[in-house]
Amino acid sequence: DWTRAISADWTAKLVGLARRQDERFSEIENDDRLAAFDQHEVLTEWVARGTLQRGGGKLTPEIGGEIAWNQLDRRFAAGLSPQERQQVSEVRSDLFANVTATVSRRTRLEAGIGYERSRIQVKGATAPTRTLSFWKPSAAFVWEVRSTSQVRLDARRSVSQLDFDAVAASGDLINNRPISGNVELKPEVVDKVEELTPAALVEKVLE
């Protein structure tokens, strides 16, 4: 996390994240190799995000970008079957621009546009490399009812992160058999318009 003021009004910020998760599931019933099951998977994630924001004044613009690399490396075997391996990887880039306009002491308008592009590759499957892209507009009207509460009318398009578990092939621990993944799976895209009252905002935070 790095933040620096580059002028009297503008501030630059860089944030990085790295994560590695290693899991193994293994089971052998009464030394019966026919009923054996073994699965080992490693999930790796790298994210870098940079923003440039101007503070002060009635208009507060922000521009930025994010790049991420995710990979799921899964190996599994059921019974006496040979070990299988699949790698699902995604390189995702996201560019965005937002602006906040102060209308009055208690009201403001927010608007933004984002463009996301991702390249998805599945090794160990016949599916080709896929490239997906999405536009992500957003707009909001915010009314500060009191210093401790607000009413917000929000409209935006959101794109979920790809479910690597569903894309990659795996094994069935109960029946000791392989399960093919859905290599054509796409991230979920949701267009939503909602009014968030103080009670709804509290409920959303607690979810």
Side-chain angles (χ1 to χ4, degrees), residues 5-166:
I6 58 176
S7 71
D9 298 325
W10 289 90
T11 300
K13 185 173 183 179
L14 295 175
V15 179
L17 169 70
R19 182 170 69 99
R20 187 178 188 272
Q21 183 176 318
D22 193 321
E23 293 184 340
R24 185 160 196 161
F25 311 93
S26 184
E27 183 175 283
I28 299 177
E29 296 181 2
N30 302 321
D31 294 327
D32 183 2
R33 293 290 173 180
L34 289 174
F37 175 85
D38 184 72
Q39 179 170 298
H40 182 208
E41 61 184 42
V42 178
L43 178 63
T44 309
E45 180 180 19
W46 295 84
V47 181
R49 181 184 180 93
T51 58
L52 188 61
Q53 185 178 40
R54 190 183 74 179
K58 292 189 175 183
L59 282 178
T60 306
E62 178 191 41
I63 57 175
E66 178 178 298
I67 186 166
W69 175 75
N70 303 286
Q71 178 180 274
L72 175 64
D73 187 348
R74 174 177 287 165
R75 308 179 190 210
F76 62 93
L80 298 178
S81 302
Q83 185 184 72
E84 296 188 43
R85 180 182 184 183
Q86 268 202 358
Q87 282 184 333
V88 182
S89 61
E90 177 190 30
V91 177
R92 185 180 71 254
S93 57
D94 192 351
L95 298 175
F96 56 87
N98 303 308
V99 63
T100 299
T102 301
V103 179
S104 68
R105 187 170 63 90
R106 293 189 179 275
T107 59
R108 67 177 185 270
L109 295 173
E110 300 174 359
I113 186 68
Y115 179 73
E116 178 179 314
R117 185 179 177 89
S118 62
R119 181 178 180 270
I120 303 166
Q121 185 175 24
V122 183
K123 293 183 179 179
T126 57
T129 299
R130 294 184 296 151
T131 300
L132 305 175
S133 58
F134 308 93
W135 287 100
K136 300 185 294 185
S138 64
F141 172 76
V142 183
W143 173 34
E144 301 284 349
V145 182
R146 295 188 296 273
S147 59
T148 57
S149 63
Q150 65 176 221
V151 174
R152 182 183 183 93
L153 180 62
D154 192 88
R156 68 181 57 247
R157 172 176 295 165
S158 60
V159 180
S160 68
Q161 190 168 346
L162 185 67
D163 185 356
F164 280 17
D165 272 331

Side-chain angles (χ1 to χ4, degrees), residues 171-184:
D172 185 344
L173 179 61
I174 304 300
N175 299 309
N176 298 311
R177 62 182 179 83
I179 300 176
S180 60
N182 182 2
V183 295
E184 297 296 330

